[in-house]
Amino acid sequence: SLSEGNAANTTKAQSIQSDFASISRIKQLTQEVTDGVTNHADLTDQKNKLVERKGLMIRMMKDRNPGLLRLVFPSDVRAKLSPDQQADVEKPIAITASLEMIHTDHFQDKTDTFSYWLKKGVLRYDYYPLGGERTLVSGSTVSVNGYILGSQIFSPIDSTSFKVLKQAKVKSAVGPQKFLFVLLQYQDALPPPYTVSEADTLIFHEQLQKFYQEASYNQMTLAGDVAPKWYTIPKPSLNSSGGCQSPNFIPDDPLSDDVYKLIKSDVDVTQYGGIVLMINSTCYGGGMASVGTFQIPIGGIPYSLSEAWVSANTRDQWQMEQPFPWTYNTYVLAHELGHNLGVWHANSWNCASV
């Protein structure tokens, strides 16, 4: 509608203005720190400026702004900073690592976002490719030449700075695909929208199962289990900043993990090819999923598992022209499980080479 278009244009204009302000401030801070090195400025003042600059740089990374590459701190000036100051300034990095990615679908406003990580041994870095997306599968081995700032890495996405050394194999989608579905809620959640038995029926015996069987020409079936009860994460659904909490499944990191500690006495996660977290929270209007599988350590042993997070708070009819019942839950589950199987969005079909 016209009002929606005007709102989108206003938001875009505000974002551009914010980016211009950030770029201007980063340039100013960089120059002030550079001058401070020459003039032997107060160390505390220099540190405060670098911390502010770091925060602005990370924000621009998260916005995936290609202009970030023109704001890199001068290497000759960085070399003159103290080790404590250098910790707040980006530096060049060349790294070969395993790429992990999660795709998030915002169905309500018809947008999507990608999140990337670079994993090398026990280290895992947030990764921000600037200038586009790459249609890869999690587990692909890549070589990145970019910059590192704290635990964040950014680089251009061009063929010089980002190289795929080995494509990860997509797991076979033929035959039974065994998933564990976990029903989760936060301590301030509304009553569960359905029972465990009803969830089992929704997943394995209704339209979701029929959809995948038909789409695969009866070559694939959904298999697995629904964990035996609703599990309550002992924290509110909103974090201290007012943002939505997202449950973590990190078995070998008890301090960060929200899920494994709740379910480990009831189910053996290692017997499944993927875990789907179905969350009873009004914060979740869509879903997100790994594109392919992650290597997730459980008891120190890496297991290849896909992960998905989906809304469980509605079974309303989804208004699409389908010749069969198609609820919102079913739609989101079908979509995110597709990503787990290594499938990207079929936005277009390029037949130019045919």
Side-chain angles (χ1 to χ4, degrees), residues 21-72:
S22 295
I23 290 170
S24 177
R25 182 57 177 160
I26 290 171
K27 288 180 177 178
Q28 179 185 355
L29 290 167
T30 300
Q31 188 59 55
E32 289 178 2
V33 171
T34 300
D35 293 341
V37 170
T38 303
N39 301 326
H40 304 288
D42 178 74
L43 293 180
T44 300
D45 183 57
Q46 288 280 84
K47 178 68 174 179
N48 290 338
K49 289 176 179 177
L50 289 171
V51 170
E52 180 187 352
R53 180 184 178 278
K54 179 180 179 180
L56 292 170
M57 290 287 287
I58 292 175
R59 181 187 143 194
M60 289 192 67
M61 279 187 226
K62 293 180 177 180
D63 289 342
R64 307 279 292 278
N65 192 320
L68 192 67
L69 297 166
R70 297 192 293 273
L71 301 173
V72 171

Side-chain angles (χ1 to χ4, degrees), residues 151-173:
S151 61
Q152 289 85 23
I153 293 175
F154 64 96
S155 80
I157 200 66
D158 59 57
S159 58
T160 301
S161 302
F162 183 94
K163 296 180 180 179
V164 180
L165 304 181
K166 183 180 180 182
Q167 287 261 24
K169 291 183 178 180
V170 178
K171 67 179 182 179
S172 173

Side-chain angles (χ1 to χ4, degrees), residues 318-329:
W318 184 250
Q319 298 304 309
M320 297 179 70
E321 295 182 2
Q322 303 286 3
F324 44 75
W326 195 239
T327 67
Y328 184 76
N329 260 177

Side-chain angles (χ1 to χ4, degrees), residues 1-14:
S1 69
L2 182 61
S3 61
E4 289 174 338
N6 289 337
N9 289 336
T10 299
T11 301
K12 184 175 181 180
Q14 292 172 339

Side-chain angles (χ1 to χ4, degrees), residues 30 34 37 53 71-81 86 89-93 147:
T30 300
T34 300
V37 170
R53 180 184 178 278
L71 301 173
V72 171
F73 201 86
S75 58
D76 59 328
V77 179
R78 186 183 188 282
K80 298 175 183 178
L81 300 176
Q86 288 183 8
V89 177
E90 64 278 5
K91 65 178 180 180
I93 185 174
Y147 299 90

